[in-house]
Amino acid sequence: MERQTKHTPTERLSYTVDEACAVTGLNRNAIYRAITLGQISTFKVGRRRMVSTRALREFIESKEREASGGAAA
């Protein structure tokens, strides 16, 4: 009997800067400004600058806290 496995969609672990723009709705200038200010951490693979899903989530969550009057990150 053949074993069946469920295929669940996997979340991406990282994005290029252009892909990060697409998933967040921010433009390139906003993403690069946040990178320069140390608000989004990145890493390089070869010549490509990558942004982890975790870094994007942390950035968005910190902006949500700022907007709701919580502690700024």
Side-chain angles (χ1 to χ4, degrees):
M1 185 170 193
E2 201 172 308
R3 183 176 169 199
Q4 292 183 357
T5 58
K6 286 187 177 182
H7 292 284
T8 58
T10 57
E11 183 177 345
R12 293 204 35 190
L13 297 176
S14 63
Y15 299 94
T16 64
V17 171
D18 286 336
E19 291 170 335
C21 292
V23 298
T24 62
L26 297 171
N27 63 35
R28 285 175 58 90
N29 287 338
I31 293 285
Y32 276 111
R33 188 176 323 116
I35 291 168
T36 300
L37 295 172
Q39 297 172 333
I40 298 176
S41 60
T42 64
F43 59 96
K44 289 188 86 172
V45 177
R47 295 175 58 171
R48 296 172 67 186
R49 180 155 310 276
M50 304 295 291
V51 183
S52 71
T53 300
R54 179 187 46 78
L56 288 175
R57 286 185 191 279
E58 289 173 357
F59 174 71
I60 298 295
E61 289 169 359
S62 74
K63 291 299 180 185
E64 288 174 336
R65 283 192 300 273
E66 286 177 22
S68 67

